């Protein structure tokens, strides 16, 4: 079976390493677009990962074989992407400016970890985020900050979690 998944190892500025599993969708500037899955083969998100934060990519191993098997099994019963996030995402038309006004989950590689934020503004080099606090997230509500795009490790654009939170809190989702 040909694996389409990759293990993407990243490291933040604090030298903390983690890995995620996803399908590579394409590149945008210095970021790689991925369709991320969880350890059970379910769609987690559409995310961008900064090229500079990637320390290693594994394209074939036993773990990826299991994830592929799980994903294929879930697709047969329409359980891989129940909210149809993937079919509503156009890789070719992805643009950071389309994030304005929506919720994102981020991992920022400098001194701060920004969980859930509203995107206030985006330009070529920076993104302005406003922290959003909910009972599920412990960010400092309302703090707004301009952050260089190049310092982000990961920006989660679409996910089941973001879709549900957007509906609950009255935000729009990517491209809508």
């Amino acid at each position: 079976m040909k694996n389409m998944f990759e293990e993407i190892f990243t490291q933040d500025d604090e030298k903390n390493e983690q890995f995620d599993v996803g399908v590579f969708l394409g590149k945008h500037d210095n970021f790689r677009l991925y369709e991320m899955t969880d350890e059970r083969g379910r769609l987690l998100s559409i995310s961008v990962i900064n090229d500079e934060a990637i320390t290693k990519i594994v394209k074939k191993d036993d773990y990826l074989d299991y994830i592929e098997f799980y994903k294929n099994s879930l697709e047969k019963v329409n359980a891989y992407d129940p909210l149809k996030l993937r079919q509503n995402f156009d890789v070719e038309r992805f643009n950071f400016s389309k994030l304005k006004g929506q919720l994102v989950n981020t991992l920022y590689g400098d001194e701060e970890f920004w969980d859930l934020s509203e995107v206030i503004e985006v330009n070529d080099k920076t993104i302005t985020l406003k922290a959003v606090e909910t009972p599920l997230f412990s960010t400092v509500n309302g703090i707004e900050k301009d952050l260089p795009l190049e310092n982000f490790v990961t920006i989660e654009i679409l996910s089941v979690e973001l879709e549900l939170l957007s509906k609950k809190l009255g935000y729009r989702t990517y491209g809508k």
Side-chain angles (χ1 to χ4, degrees):
M1 174 187 295
K2 177 186 162 255
N3 262 319
M4 53 190 219
F5 286 104
E6 298 178 351
E7 291 175 26
I8 310 105
F9 288 81
T10 57
Q11 193 169 33
D12 62 21
D13 288 347
E14 308 287 313
K15 305 297 182 215
N16 298 313
E17 187 173 64
Q18 68 174 34
F19 85 93
D20 294 291
V21 174
V23 175
F24 176 71
L25 301 175
K27 283 193 54 95
H28 183 78
D29 297 331
N30 296 326
F31 289 86
R32 296 170 60 93
L33 283 157
Y34 279 97
E35 179 178 317
M36 308 301 277
T37 59
D38 69 10
E39 69 281 355
R40 302 289 185 258
R42 297 172 292 209
L43 178 70
L44 273 180
S45 69
I46 305 292
S47 297
V48 292
I49 300 176
N50 190 327
D51 277 335
E52 298 285 319
I54 297 173
T55 58
K56 176 172 66 171
I57 294 175
V58 174
K59 294 187 180 219
K60 180 153 183 54
D61 66 14
D62 289 342
Y63 183 72
L64 294 174
D65 287 340
Y66 278 93
I67 299 299
E68 182 82 22
F69 174 79
Y70 289 168
K71 177 193 183 258
N72 291 338
S73 298
L74 291 170
E75 281 183 325
K76 289 177 185 172
V77 294
N78 295 318
Y80 170 69
D81 181 11
L83 297 180
K84 309 290 185 231
L85 299 175
R86 178 61 178 100
Q87 75 183 26
N88 295 322
F89 183 77
D90 186 350
V91 173
E92 301 299 319
R93 293 198 160 146
F94 171 74
N95 190 312
F96 282 108
S97 65
K98 289 183 180 181
L99 297 175
K100 186 175 178 179
Q102 82 168 58
L103 295 178
V104 294
N105 275 327
T106 61
L107 176 58
Y108 190 69
D110 197 355
E111 75 282 355
E112 300 169 67
F113 179 81
W114 287 66
D115 278 336
L116 181 67
S117 302
E118 176 187 2
V119 177
I120 303 298
E121 192 62 54
V122 180
N123 66 40
D124 290 343
K125 301 215 183 283
T126 63
I127 186 168
T128 305
L129 297 178
K130 179 179 175 183
V132 176
E133 192 169 341
T134 73
L136 305 173
F137 290 90
S138 60
T139 55
V140 181
N141 192 33
I143 291 182
E144 194 171 306
K145 193 162 186 179
D146 294 327
L147 301 165
L149 272 169
E150 68 186 21
N151 289 350
F152 282 90
V153 174
T154 305
I155 301 173
E156 185 178 280
I157 299 164
L158 280 171
S159 69
V160 171
E161 180 179 49
L162 288 172
E163 184 76 16
L164 296 174
L165 280 170
S166 293
K167 286 179 182 174
K168 170 78 173 148
L169 301 173
Y171 288 88
R172 66 173 190 77
T173 53
Y174 182 81
K176 294 182 182 173

